[in-house]
Amino acid sequence: MQKSGKADKKNVFFLAEELLKSDYCEEAYIAFDWAYQVREQYTEDDFPVFEHWIENYVNNWAKCDTLCNHAVGSFIEEFPEFVDNLKTWAKSDNRWFRRAAAVTLVLPARKGLFLPEVFAIANILLTDKDDLVRKGYGWMLKEASKPHQQEVFEYVMRNKKEMPRTSLRYAIEKFPPDLRAEAKILTTL
């Protein structure tokens, strides 16, 4: 498994897949952490592997977030040409793909990256009926607000009539009290 002191990605992905087959959360966490540990070896060919894992092994929010926040988020930062695939995920019938579309951008958004894509994904998920998807895109907006507070505030103000309370609450959580209070006021026009 070792090549000059580094784990070989092919073997790591193989072992991760074997762990994922158990459907135990603890083994999924190990598998997804291993996948993240070899992020310096990622290639464009790894995107279908991540999609396969979401489709076949992600069946709760914790697995979704563990895989997507770290491994998939790092992949998207390394290969930004794949970010548009997240918009396709956001339109999926599979709730975990929809949540994955948002939570994949949580850490990149915190760094100020992909703001247009953050808003595009939030637009797609704006009225999603699934509470876990709502929380996921609200979290993405909250992280994007750290480097882009004014832009996220304006987005929230434009969309607060349609935005579910859960998403709104997450999105404005780190705003200063005055902006948070303004965002909570619902207009009745």
Side-chain angles (χ1 to χ4, degrees), residues 25-73:
C25 284
E26 297 83 359
E27 292 186 9
Y29 302 150
I30 292 167
F32 296 152
D33 182 60
W34 285 354
Y36 176 66
Q37 295 304 320
V38 295
R39 65 191 174 278
E40 292 177 2
Q41 300 174 47
Y42 288 169
T43 67
E44 292 91 345
D45 295 335
D46 296 327
F47 191 78
V49 173
F50 297 136
E51 283 189 317
H52 167 75
W53 288 350
I54 294 168
E55 184 171 4
N56 293 286
Y57 303 116
V58 169
N59 54 19
N60 65 47
W61 67 266
K63 288 180 185 178
C64 185
D65 295 3
T66 301
L67 172 62
C68 295
N69 277 174
H70 301 289
V72 184

mmCIF file of all heavy atoms in Angstrom, residues 25-73:
data_model
loop_
_atom_site.group_PDB
_atom_site.id
_atom_site.type_symbol
_atom_site.label_atom_id
_atom_site.label_comp_id
_atom_site.label_asym_id
_atom_site.label_seq_id
_atom_site.Cartn_x
_atom_site.Cartn_y
_atom_site.Cartn_z
ATOM 1 N N CYS A 25 -21.538 3.206 10.075
ATOM 2 C CA CYS A 25 -21.096 4.604 10.017
ATOM 3 C C CYS A 25 -19.623 4.737 10.359
ATOM 4 O O CYS A 25 -18.893 5.489 9.704
ATOM 5 C CB CYS A 25 -21.916 5.467 10.973
ATOM 6 S SG CYS A 25 -23.560 5.838 10.348
ATOM 7 N N GLU A 26 -19.177 4.011 11.379
ATOM 8 C CA GLU A 26 -17.783 4.123 11.796
ATOM 9 C C GLU A 26 -16.829 3.727 10.666
ATOM 10 O O GLU A 26 -15.791 4.364 10.470
ATOM 11 C CB GLU A 26 -17.518 3.245 13.031
ATOM 12 C CG GLU A 26 -18.301 3.661 14.258
ATOM 13 C CD GLU A 26 -19.745 3.128 14.304
ATOM 14 O OE1 GLU A 26 -20.175 2.441 13.361
ATOM 15 O OE2 GLU A 26 -20.438 3.418 15.297
ATOM 16 N N GLU A 27 -17.184 2.688 9.943
ATOM 17 C CA GLU A 27 -16.328 2.253 8.834
ATOM 18 C C GLU A 27 -16.397 3.232 7.675
ATOM 19 O O GLU A 27 -15.403 3.470 7.000
ATOM 20 C CB GLU A 27 -16.687 0.825 8.419
ATOM 21 C CG GLU A 27 -16.308 -0.167 9.516
ATOM 22 C CD GLU A 27 -16.506 -1.621 9.132
ATOM 23 O OE1 GLU A 27 -16.784 -1.929 7.963
ATOM 24 O OE2 GLU A 27 -16.355 -2.466 10.041
ATOM 25 N N ALA A 28 -17.559 3.841 7.465
ATOM 26 C CA ALA A 28 -17.673 4.875 6.428
ATOM 27 C C ALA A 28 -16.799 6.073 6.773
ATOM 28 O O ALA A 28 -16.143 6.641 5.894
ATOM 29 C CB ALA A 28 -19.128 5.308 6.253
ATOM 30 N N TYR A 29 -16.773 6.480 8.047
ATOM 31 C CA TYR A 29 -15.931 7.612 8.452
ATOM 32 C C TYR A 29 -14.464 7.322 8.170
ATOM 33 O O TYR A 29 -13.733 8.185 7.693
ATOM 34 C CB TYR A 29 -16.110 7.942 9.937
ATOM 35 C CG TYR A 29 -17.517 8.263 10.344
ATOM 36 C CD1 TYR A 29 -17.965 7.979 11.617
ATOM 37 C CD2 TYR A 29 -18.433 8.839 9.457
ATOM 38 C CE1 TYR A 29 -19.269 8.262 12.012
ATOM 39 C CE2 TYR A 29 -19.728 9.125 9.840
ATOM 40 C CZ TYR A 29 -20.136 8.834 11.111
ATOM 41 O OH TYR A 29 -21.420 9.103 11.486
ATOM 42 N N ILE A 30 -14.042 6.089 8.480
ATOM 43 C CA ILE A 30 -12.651 5.706 8.205
ATOM 44 C C ILE A 30 -12.395 5.747 6.701
ATOM 45 O O ILE A 30 -11.395 6.308 6.247
ATOM 46 C CB ILE A 30 -12.351 4.307 8.782
ATOM 47 C CG1 ILE A 30 -12.378 4.353 10.315
ATOM 48 C CG2 ILE A 30 -11.013 3.780 8.273
ATOM 49 C CD1 ILE A 30 -12.404 2.990 10.985
ATOM 50 N N ALA A 31 -13.304 5.164 5.928
ATOM 51 C CA ALA A 31 -13.139 5.135 4.471
ATOM 52 C C ALA A 31 -13.036 6.545 3.895
ATOM 53 O O ALA A 31 -12.155 6.836 3.068
ATOM 54 C CB ALA A 31 -14.308 4.388 3.828
ATOM 55 N N PHE A 32 -13.915 7.430 4.325
ATOM 56 C CA PHE A 32 -13.923 8.788 3.780
ATOM 57 C C PHE A 32 -12.722 9.590 4.267
ATOM 58 O O PHE A 32 -12.207 10.437 3.534
ATOM 59 C CB PHE A 32 -15.240 9.493 4.114
ATOM 60 C CG PHE A 32 -16.444 8.845 3.484
ATOM 61 C CD1 PHE A 32 -17.688 8.945 4.092
ATOM 62 C CD2 PHE A 32 -16.360 8.133 2.289
ATOM 63 C CE1 PHE A 32 -18.816 8.356 3.512
ATOM 64 C CE2 PHE A 32 -17.473 7.543 1.714
ATOM 65 C CZ PHE A 32 -18.703 7.656 2.320
ATOM 66 N N ASP A 33 -12.259 9.309 5.480
ATOM 67 C CA ASP A 33 -11.039 9.971 5.951
ATOM 68 C C ASP A 33 -9.833 9.497 5.145
ATOM 69 O O ASP A 33 -8.985 10.301 4.761
ATOM 70 C CB ASP A 33 -10.823 9.717 7.447
ATOM 71 C CG ASP A 33 -9.583 10.431 7.952
ATOM 72 O OD1 ASP A 33 -9.518 11.673 7.852
ATOM 73 O OD2 ASP A 33 -8.653 9.748 8.434
ATOM 74 N N TRP A 34 -9.756 8.206 4.897
ATOM 75 C CA TRP A 34 -8.659 7.696 4.065
ATOM 76 C C TRP A 34 -8.684 8.345 2.686
ATOM 77 O O TRP A 34 -7.640 8.724 2.157
ATOM 78 C CB TRP A 34 -8.762 6.187 3.910
ATOM 79 C CG TRP A 34 -8.359 5.384 5.111
ATOM 80 C CD1 TRP A 34 -7.811 5.836 6.274
ATOM 81 C CD2 TRP A 34 -8.495 3.982 5.254
ATOM 82 N NE1 TRP A 34 -7.604 4.795 7.137
ATOM 83 C CE2 TRP A 34 -8.004 3.641 6.540
ATOM 84 C CE3 TRP A 34 -8.987 2.972 4.440
ATOM 85 C CZ2 TRP A 34 -7.983 2.329 7.003
ATOM 86 C CZ3 TRP A 34 -8.975 1.666 4.903
ATOM 87 C CH2 TRP A 34 -8.476 1.348 6.173
ATOM 88 N N ALA A 35 -9.881 8.459 2.111
ATOM 89 C CA ALA A 35 -9.999 9.087 0.783
ATOM 90 C C ALA A 35 -9.509 10.532 0.824
ATOM 91 O O ALA A 35 -8.865 11.005 -0.114
ATOM 92 C CB ALA A 35 -11.444 9.019 0.292
ATOM 93 N N TYR A 36 -9.797 11.212 1.895
ATOM 94 C CA TYR A 36 -9.339 12.602 2.048
ATOM 95 C C TYR A 36 -7.814 12.663 2.230
ATOM 96 O O TYR A 36 -7.162 13.571 1.719
ATOM 97 C CB TYR A 36 -10.052 13.250 3.231
ATOM 98 C CG TYR A 36 -9.582 14.645 3.544
ATOM 99 C CD1 TYR A 36 -9.802 15.691 2.652
ATOM 100 C CD2 TYR A 36 -8.910 14.926 4.733
ATOM 101 C CE1 TYR A 36 -9.366 16.981 2.940
ATOM 102 C CE2 TYR A 36 -8.481 16.199 5.023
ATOM 103 C CZ TYR A 36 -8.707 17.228 4.126
ATOM 104 O OH TYR A 36 -8.269 18.495 4.413
ATOM 105 N N GLN A 37 -7.257 11.694 2.929
ATOM 106 C CA GLN A 37 -5.814 11.695 3.196
ATOM 107 C C GLN A 37 -4.972 11.565 1.923
ATOM 108 O O GLN A 37 -3.813 11.963 1.915
ATOM 109 C CB GLN A 37 -5.440 10.583 4.183
ATOM 110 C CG GLN A 37 -6.024 10.770 5.573
ATOM 111 C CD GLN A 37 -5.670 12.102 6.212
ATOM 112 O OE1 GLN A 37 -4.545 12.583 6.085
ATOM 113 N NE2 GLN A 37 -6.633 12.721 6.873
ATOM 114 N N VAL A 38 -5.565 11.039 0.853
ATOM 115 C CA VAL A 38 -4.809 10.905 -0.409
ATOM 116 C C VAL A 38 -5.209 11.982 -1.418
ATOM 117 O O VAL A 38 -4.987 11.839 -2.623
ATOM 118 C CB VAL A 38 -4.957 9.485 -1.024
ATOM 119 C CG1 VAL A 38 -4.326 8.439 -0.107
ATOM 120 C CG2 VAL A 38 -6.411 9.151 -1.329
ATOM 121 N N ARG A 39 -5.745 13.095 -0.939
ATOM 122 C CA ARG A 39 -6.235 14.170 -1.811
ATOM 123 C C ARG A 39 -5.158 14.724 -2.740
ATOM 124 O O ARG A 39 -5.472 15.209 -3.818
ATOM 125 C CB ARG A 39 -6.876 15.279 -0.986
ATOM 126 C CG ARG A 39 -5.928 16.012 -0.067
ATOM 127 C CD ARG A 39 -6.701 16.904 0.910
ATOM 128 N NE ARG A 39 -5.846 17.518 1.897
ATOM 129 C CZ ARG A 39 -5.413 16.933 3.006
ATOM 130 N NH1 ARG A 39 -5.762 15.677 3.267
ATOM 131 N NH2 ARG A 39 -4.640 17.581 3.859
ATOM 132 N N GLU A 40 -3.907 14.655 -2.343
ATOM 133 C CA GLU A 40 -2.837 15.154 -3.214
ATOM 134 C C GLU A 40 -2.661 14.273 -4.453
ATOM 135 O O GLU A 40 -2.013 14.687 -5.410
ATOM 136 C CB GLU A 40 -1.532 15.265 -2.437
ATOM 137 C CG GLU A 40 -1.585 16.351 -1.370
ATOM 138 C CD GLU A 40 -0.318 16.426 -0.530
ATOM 139 O OE1 GLU A 40 0.630 15.663 -0.801
ATOM 140 O OE2 GLU A 40 -0.287 17.260 0.380
ATOM 141 N N GLN A 41 -3.246 13.089 -4.433
ATOM 142 C CA GLN A 41 -3.150 12.171 -5.564
ATOM 143 C C GLN A 41 -4.412 12.176 -6.436
ATOM 144 O O GLN A 41 -4.496 11.416 -7.398
ATOM 145 C CB GLN A 41 -2.891 10.746 -5.068
ATOM 146 C CG GLN A 41 -1.604 10.591 -4.281
ATOM 147 C CD GLN A 41 -1.477 9.200 -3.695
ATOM 148 O OE1 GLN A 41 -1.694 8.203 -4.388
ATOM 149 N NE2 GLN A 41 -1.133 9.111 -2.418
ATOM 150 N N TYR A 42 -5.384 13.011 -6.119
ATOM 151 C CA TYR A 42 -6.624 13.034 -6.894
ATOM 152 C C TYR A 42 -6.339 13.376 -8.357
ATOM 153 O O TYR A 42 -5.471 14.187 -8.668
ATOM 154 C CB TYR A 42 -7.602 14.079 -6.356
ATOM 155 C CG TYR A 42 -8.262 13.772 -5.027
ATOM 156 C CD1 TYR A 42 -8.982 14.763 -4.372
ATOM 157 C CD2 TYR A 42 -8.192 12.519 -4.419
ATOM 158 C CE1 TYR A 42 -9.603 14.526 -3.154
ATOM 159 C CE2 TYR A 42 -8.802 12.278 -3.213
ATOM 160 C CZ TYR A 42 -9.508 13.280 -2.577
ATOM 161 O OH TYR A 42 -10.127 13.040 -1.375
ATOM 162 N N THR A 43 -7.143 12.750 -9.211
ATOM 163 C CA THR A 43 -7.156 13.071 -10.636
ATOM 164 C C THR A 43 -8.609 13.263 -11.058
ATOM 165 O O THR A 43 -9.534 12.936 -10.292
ATOM 166 C CB THR A 43 -6.532 11.938 -11.480
ATOM 167 O OG1 THR A 43 -7.384 10.785 -11.404
ATOM 168 C CG2 THR A 43 -5.119 11.597 -11.019
ATOM 169 N N GLU A 44 -8.804 13.742 -12.266
ATOM 170 C CA GLU A 44 -10.156 13.936 -12.781
ATOM 171 C C GLU A 44 -10.960 12.642 -12.770
ATOM 172 O O GLU A 44 -12.181 12.661 -12.679
ATOM 173 C CB GLU A 44 -10.124 14.501 -14.205
ATOM 174 C CG GLU A 44 -9.606 15.910 -14.300
ATOM 175 C CD GLU A 44 -8.096 15.992 -14.535
ATOM 176 O OE1 GLU A 44 -7.377 14.977 -14.341
ATOM 177 O OE2 GLU A 44 -7.632 17.079 -14.905
ATOM 178 N N ASP A 45 -10.299 11.519 -12.844
ATOM 179 C CA ASP A 45 -10.970 10.219 -12.874
ATOM 180 C C ASP A 45 -11.620 9.841 -11.546
ATOM 181 O O ASP A 45 -12.361 8.850 -11.483
ATOM 182 C CB ASP A 45 -9.979 9.116 -13.264
ATOM 183 C CG ASP A 45 -9.454 9.273 -14.676
ATOM 184 O OD1 ASP A 45 -10.150 9.889 -15.515
ATOM 185 O OD2 ASP A 45 -8.331 8.793 -14.948
ATOM 186 N N ASP A 46 -11.358 10.607 -10.499
ATOM 187 C CA ASP A 46 -11.910 10.272 -9.194
ATOM 188 C C ASP A 46 -13.344 10.764 -8.995
ATOM 189 O O ASP A 46 -14.050 10.266 -8.114
ATOM 190 C CB ASP A 46 -11.020 10.839 -8.079
ATOM 191 C CG ASP A 46 -9.639 10.208 -8.099
ATOM 192 O OD1 ASP A 46 -9.535 9.019 -8.469
ATOM 193 O OD2 ASP A 46 -8.673 10.908 -7.755
ATOM 194 N N PHE A 47 -13.787 11.695 -9.808
ATOM 195 C CA PHE A 47 -15.142 12.220 -9.615
ATOM 196 C C PHE A 47 -16.206 11.119 -9.712
ATOM 197 O O PHE A 47 -17.088 11.050 -8.837
ATOM 198 C CB PHE A 47 -15.436 13.364 -10.591
ATOM 199 C CG PHE A 47 -16.688 14.103 -10.255
ATOM 200 C CD1 PHE A 47 -16.709 15.032 -9.225
ATOM 201 C CD2 PHE A 47 -17.871 13.865 -10.949
ATOM 202 C CE1 PHE A 47 -17.876 15.707 -8.884
ATOM 203 C CE2 PHE A 47 -19.032 14.544 -10.619
ATOM 204 C CZ PHE A 47 -19.033 15.469 -9.587
ATOM 205 N N PRO A 48 -16.142 10.239 -10.703
ATOM 206 C CA PRO A 48 -17.147 9.157 -10.739
ATOM 207 C C PRO A 48 -17.097 8.240 -9.510
ATOM 208 O O PRO A 48 -18.132 7.698 -9.110
ATOM 209 C CB PRO A 48 -16.802 8.380 -12.016
ATOM 210 C CG PRO A 48 -16.026 9.335 -12.854
ATOM 211 C CD PRO A 48 -15.293 10.231 -11.901
ATOM 212 N N VAL A 49 -15.935 8.097 -8.908
ATOM 213 C CA VAL A 49 -15.830 7.288 -7.690
ATOM 214 C C VAL A 49 -16.632 7.950 -6.572
ATOM 215 O O VAL A 49 -17.418 7.291 -5.878
ATOM 216 C CB VAL A 49 -14.352 7.115 -7.259
ATOM 217 C CG1 VAL A 49 -14.254 6.420 -5.902
ATOM 218 C CG2 VAL A 49 -13.568 6.356 -8.319
ATOM 219 N N PHE A 50 -16.452 9.258 -6.413
ATOM 220 C CA PHE A 50 -17.202 9.968 -5.378
ATOM 221 C C PHE A 50 -18.702 9.908 -5.648
ATOM 222 O O PHE A 50 -19.506 9.705 -4.718
ATOM 223 C CB PHE A 50 -16.732 11.417 -5.265
ATOM 224 C CG PHE A 50 -15.293 11.552 -4.831
ATOM 225 C CD1 PHE A 50 -14.449 12.449 -5.460
ATOM 226 C CD2 PHE A 50 -14.785 10.787 -3.797
ATOM 227 C CE1 PHE A 50 -13.125 12.575 -5.062
ATOM 228 C CE2 PHE A 50 -13.460 10.912 -3.389
ATOM 229 C CZ PHE A 50 -12.630 11.808 -4.019
ATOM 230 N N GLU A 51 -19.102 10.065 -6.896
ATOM 231 C CA GLU A 51 -20.533 9.940 -7.233
ATOM 232 C C GLU A 51 -21.060 8.555 -6.885
ATOM 233 O O GLU A 51 -22.155 8.424 -6.329
ATOM 234 C CB GLU A 51 -20.764 10.223 -8.726
ATOM 235 C CG GLU A 51 -20.729 11.670 -9.081
ATOM 236 C CD GLU A 51 -21.169 11.917 -10.512
ATOM 237 O OE1 GLU A 51 -20.754 11.164 -11.426
ATOM 238 O OE2 GLU A 51 -21.933 12.875 -10.727
ATOM 239 N N HIS A 52 -20.281 7.540 -7.210
ATOM 240 C CA HIS A 52 -20.658 6.160 -6.906
ATOM 241 C C HIS A 52 -20.846 5.971 -5.404
ATOM 242 O O HIS A 52 -21.819 5.336 -4.953
ATOM 243 C CB HIS A 52 -19.589 5.203 -7.455
ATOM 244 C CG HIS A 52 -19.687 3.807 -6.963
ATOM 245 N ND1 HIS A 52 -20.647 2.917 -7.401
ATOM 246 C CD2 HIS A 52 -18.953 3.134 -6.042
ATOM 247 C CE1 HIS A 52 -20.490 1.763 -6.781
ATOM 248 N NE2 HIS A 52 -19.469 1.872 -5.946
ATOM 249 N N TRP A 53 -19.940 6.511 -4.629
ATOM 250 C CA TRP A 53 -20.048 6.377 -3.178
ATOM 251 C C TRP A 53 -21.294 7.087 -2.648
ATOM 252 O O TRP A 53 -21.974 6.554 -1.775
ATOM 253 C CB TRP A 53 -18.787 6.910 -2.499
ATOM 254 C CG TRP A 53 -17.583 6.025 -2.677
ATOM 255 C CD1 TRP A 53 -17.550 4.759 -3.202
ATOM 256 C CD2 TRP A 53 -16.243 6.344 -2.317
ATOM 257 N NE1 TRP A 53 -16.268 4.277 -3.200
ATOM 258 C CE2 TRP A 53 -15.432 5.231 -2.659
ATOM 259 C CE3 TRP A 53 -15.631 7.455 -1.766
ATOM 260 C CZ2 TRP A 53 -14.064 5.205 -2.445
ATOM 261 C CZ3 TRP A 53 -14.261 7.439 -1.547
ATOM 262 C CH2 TRP A 53 -13.485 6.323 -1.877
ATOM 263 N N ILE A 54 -21.583 8.268 -3.153
ATOM 264 C CA ILE A 54 -22.795 8.969 -2.700
ATOM 265 C C ILE A 54 -24.034 8.155 -3.065
ATOM 266 O O ILE A 54 -24.928 7.938 -2.231
ATOM 267 C CB ILE A 54 -22.876 10.390 -3.295
ATOM 268 C CG1 ILE A 54 -21.741 11.266 -2.747
ATOM 269 C CG2 ILE A 54 -24.238 11.032 -2.988
ATOM 270 C CD1 ILE A 54 -21.557 12.580 -3.484
ATOM 271 N N GLU A 55 -24.074 7.700 -4.291
ATOM 272 C CA GLU A 55 -25.252 6.970 -4.758
ATOM 273 C C GLU A 55 -25.465 5.656 -4.008
ATOM 274 O O GLU A 55 -26.594 5.271 -3.714
ATOM 275 C CB GLU A 55 -25.136 6.692 -6.255
ATOM 276 C CG GLU A 55 -26.357 6.030 -6.831
ATOM 277 C CD GLU A 55 -26.327 5.944 -8.350
ATOM 278 O OE1 GLU A 55 -25.314 6.341 -8.961
ATOM 279 O OE2 GLU A 55 -27.318 5.482 -8.917
ATOM 280 N N ASN A 56 -24.384 4.964 -3.684
ATOM 281 C CA ASN A 56 -24.500 3.612 -3.154
ATOM 282 C C ASN A 56 -24.285 3.466 -1.651
ATOM 283 O O ASN A 56 -24.739 2.473 -1.072
ATOM 284 C CB ASN A 56 -23.542 2.686 -3.891
ATOM 285 C CG ASN A 56 -23.947 2.515 -5.334
ATOM 286 O OD1 ASN A 56 -24.909 1.818 -5.626
ATOM 287 N ND2 ASN A 56 -23.261 3.192 -6.233
ATOM 288 N N TYR A 57 -23.587 4.409 -1.024
ATOM 289 C CA TYR A 57 -23.228 4.227 0.382
ATOM 290 C C TYR A 57 -23.632 5.372 1.301
ATOM 291 O O TYR A 57 -23.626 5.196 2.518
ATOM 292 C CB TYR A 57 -21.717 3.993 0.515
ATOM 293 C CG TYR A 57 -21.237 2.809 -0.296
ATOM 294 C CD1 TYR A 57 -20.353 2.987 -1.349
ATOM 295 C CD2 TYR A 57 -21.685 1.516 -0.018
ATOM 296 C CE1 TYR A 57 -19.910 1.908 -2.099
ATOM 297 C CE2 TYR A 57 -21.255 0.431 -0.767
ATOM 298 C CZ TYR A 57 -20.365 0.636 -1.804
ATOM 299 O OH TYR A 57 -19.950 -0.435 -2.544
ATOM 300 N N VAL A 58 -23.939 6.516 0.772
ATOM 301 C CA VAL A 58 -24.345 7.635 1.627
ATOM 302 C C VAL A 58 -25.842 7.514 1.872
ATOM 303 O O VAL A 58 -26.643 7.605 0.947
ATOM 304 C CB VAL A 58 -23.976 8.993 0.988
ATOM 305 C CG1 VAL A 58 -24.628 10.140 1.742
ATOM 306 C CG2 VAL A 58 -22.468 9.162 0.949
ATOM 307 N N ASN A 59 -26.192 7.284 3.145
ATOM 308 C CA ASN A 59 -27.600 7.107 3.494
ATOM 309 C C ASN A 59 -27.975 7.838 4.787
ATOM 310 O O ASN A 59 -28.984 7.539 5.406
ATOM 311 C CB ASN A 59 -27.955 5.623 3.581
ATOM 312 C CG ASN A 59 -27.030 4.857 4.515
ATOM 313 O OD1 ASN A 59 -26.355 5.442 5.363
ATOM 314 N ND2 ASN A 59 -26.985 3.548 4.336
ATOM 315 N N ASN A 60 -27.129 8.789 5.187
ATOM 316 C CA ASN A 60 -27.468 9.675 6.298
ATOM 317 C C ASN A 60 -26.643 10.949 6.181
ATOM 318 O O ASN A 60 -25.679 11.012 5.408
ATOM 319 C CB ASN A 60 -27.307 8.988 7.665
ATOM 320 C CG ASN A 60 -25.877 8.617 7.986
ATOM 321 O OD1 ASN A 60 -24.947 9.416 7.833
ATOM 322 N ND2 ASN A 60 -25.679 7.390 8.447
ATOM 323 N N TRP A 61 -27.023 11.965 6.944
ATOM 324 C CA TRP A 61 -26.364 13.265 6.823
ATOM 325 C C TRP A 61 -24.903 13.201 7.247
ATOM 326 O O TRP A 61 -24.057 13.901 6.690
ATOM 327 C CB TRP A 61 -27.118 14.343 7.602
ATOM 328 C CG TRP A 61 -27.088 14.160 9.090
ATOM 329 C CD1 TRP A 61 -28.027 13.529 9.852
ATOM 330 C CD2 TRP A 61 -26.064 14.590 9.991
ATOM 331 N NE1 TRP A 61 -27.640 13.538 11.178
ATOM 332 C CE2 TRP A 61 -26.442 14.195 11.283
ATOM 333 C CE3 TRP A 61 -24.860 15.275 9.816
ATOM 334 C CZ2 TRP A 61 -25.651 14.452 12.404
ATOM 335 C CZ3 TRP A 61 -24.088 15.533 10.937
ATOM 336 C CH2 TRP A 61 -24.485 15.126 12.205
ATOM 337 N N ALA A 62 -24.579 12.374 8.226
ATOM 338 C CA ALA A 62 -23.202 12.314 8.722
ATOM 339 C C ALA A 62 -22.256 11.752 7.663
ATOM 340 O O ALA A 62 -21.157 12.289 7.456
ATOM 341 C CB ALA A 62 -23.140 11.482 9.999
ATOM 342 N N LYS A 63 -22.675 10.696 6.977
ATOM 343 C CA LYS A 63 -21.837 10.160 5.897
ATOM 344 C C LYS A 63 -21.700 11.180 4.779
ATOM 345 O O LYS A 63 -20.618 11.370 4.218
ATOM 346 C CB LYS A 63 -22.434 8.857 5.352
ATOM 347 C CG LYS A 63 -22.317 7.669 6.273
ATOM 348 C CD LYS A 63 -22.954 6.444 5.626
ATOM 349 C CE LYS A 63 -22.983 5.252 6.545
ATOM 350 N NZ LYS A 63 -23.653 4.097 5.915
ATOM 351 N N CYS A 64 -22.808 11.826 4.439
ATOM 352 C CA CYS A 64 -22.793 12.827 3.371
ATOM 353 C C CYS A 64 -21.793 13.935 3.691
ATOM 354 O O CYS A 64 -20.940 14.287 2.874
ATOM 355 C CB CYS A 64 -24.197 13.406 3.185
ATOM 356 S SG CYS A 64 -24.347 14.544 1.802
ATOM 357 N N ASP A 65 -21.883 14.467 4.899
ATOM 358 C CA ASP A 65 -21.032 15.585 5.274
ATOM 359 C C ASP A 65 -19.572 15.169 5.402
ATOM 360 O O ASP A 65 -18.667 15.914 5.018
ATOM 361 C CB ASP A 65 -21.521 16.204 6.582
ATOM 362 C CG ASP A 65 -22.898 16.837 6.447
ATOM 363 O OD1 ASP A 65 -23.508 16.746 5.355
ATOM 364 O OD2 ASP A 65 -23.368 17.416 7.431
ATOM 365 N N THR A 66 -19.319 13.981 5.943
ATOM 366 C CA THR A 66 -17.946 13.518 6.110
ATOM 367 C C THR A 66 -17.258 13.364 4.760
ATOM 368 O O THR A 66 -16.125 13.813 4.580
ATOM 369 C CB THR A 66 -17.914 12.182 6.884
ATOM 370 O OG1 THR A 66 -18.535 12.377 8.160
ATOM 371 C CG2 THR A 66 -16.495 11.699 7.085
ATOM 372 N N LEU A 67 -17.940 12.769 3.801
ATOM 373 C CA LEU A 67 -17.361 12.601 2.467
ATOM 374 C C LEU A 67 -17.246 13.929 1.741
ATOM 375 O O LEU A 67 -16.188 14.276 1.210
ATOM 376 C CB LEU A 67 -18.206 11.627 1.636
ATOM 377 C CG LEU A 67 -17.825 11.500 0.155
ATOM 378 C CD1 LEU A 67 -16.395 10.971 -0.006
ATOM 379 C CD2 LEU A 67 -18.819 10.610 -0.581
ATOM 380 N N CYS A 68 -18.323 14.686 1.731
ATOM 381 C CA CYS A 68 -18.384 15.858 0.853
ATOM 382 C C CYS A 68 -17.625 17.059 1.387
ATOM 383 O O CYS A 68 -16.998 17.784 0.601
ATOM 384 C CB CYS A 68 -19.839 16.203 0.561
ATOM 385 S SG CYS A 68 -20.641 14.889 -0.387
ATOM 386 N N ASN A 69 -17.672 17.312 2.684
ATOM 387 C CA ASN A 69 -16.941 18.461 3.221
ATOM 388 C C ASN A 69 -15.452 18.358 2.936
ATOM 389 O O ASN A 69 -14.815 19.376 2.668
ATOM 390 C CB ASN A 69 -17.102 18.565 4.731
ATOM 391 C CG ASN A 69 -18.365 19.250 5.183
ATOM 392 O OD1 ASN A 69 -18.632 19.282 6.353
ATOM 393 N ND2 ASN A 69 -19.138 19.811 4.285
ATOM 394 N N HIS A 70 -14.923 17.179 3.007
ATOM 395 C CA HIS A 70 -13.471 17.044 2.938
ATOM 396 C C HIS A 70 -13.009 16.503 1.587
ATOM 397 O O HIS A 70 -12.402 17.240 0.809
ATOM 398 C CB HIS A 70 -12.976 16.208 4.108
ATOM 399 C CG HIS A 70 -13.353 16.827 5.418
ATOM 400 N ND1 HIS A 70 -12.774 17.980 5.889
ATOM 401 C CD2 HIS A 70 -14.289 16.499 6.333
ATOM 402 C CE1 HIS A 70 -13.320 18.325 7.040
ATOM 403 N NE2 HIS A 70 -14.251 17.445 7.332
ATOM 404 N N ALA A 71 -13.300 15.260 1.292
ATOM 405 C CA ALA A 71 -12.775 14.658 0.066
ATOM 406 C C ALA A 71 -13.331 15.337 -1.188
ATOM 407 O O ALA A 71 -12.571 15.804 -2.040
ATOM 408 C CB ALA A 71 -13.076 13.154 0.042
ATOM 409 N N VAL A 72 -14.651 15.419 -1.290
ATOM 410 C CA VAL A 72 -15.234 15.987 -2.511
ATOM 411 C C VAL A 72 -14.964 17.493 -2.591
ATOM 412 O O VAL A 72 -14.649 18.021 -3.659
ATOM 413 C CB VAL A 72 -16.738 15.672 -2.632
ATOM 414 C CG1 VAL A 72 -17.296 16.199 -3.951
ATOM 415 C CG2 VAL A 72 -16.982 14.160 -2.528
ATOM 416 N N GLY A 73 -15.037 18.191 -1.467
ATOM 417 C CA GLY A 73 -14.721 19.617 -1.456
ATOM 418 C C GLY A 73 -13.293 19.887 -1.908
ATOM 419 O O GLY A 73 -13.039 20.809 -2.695
#
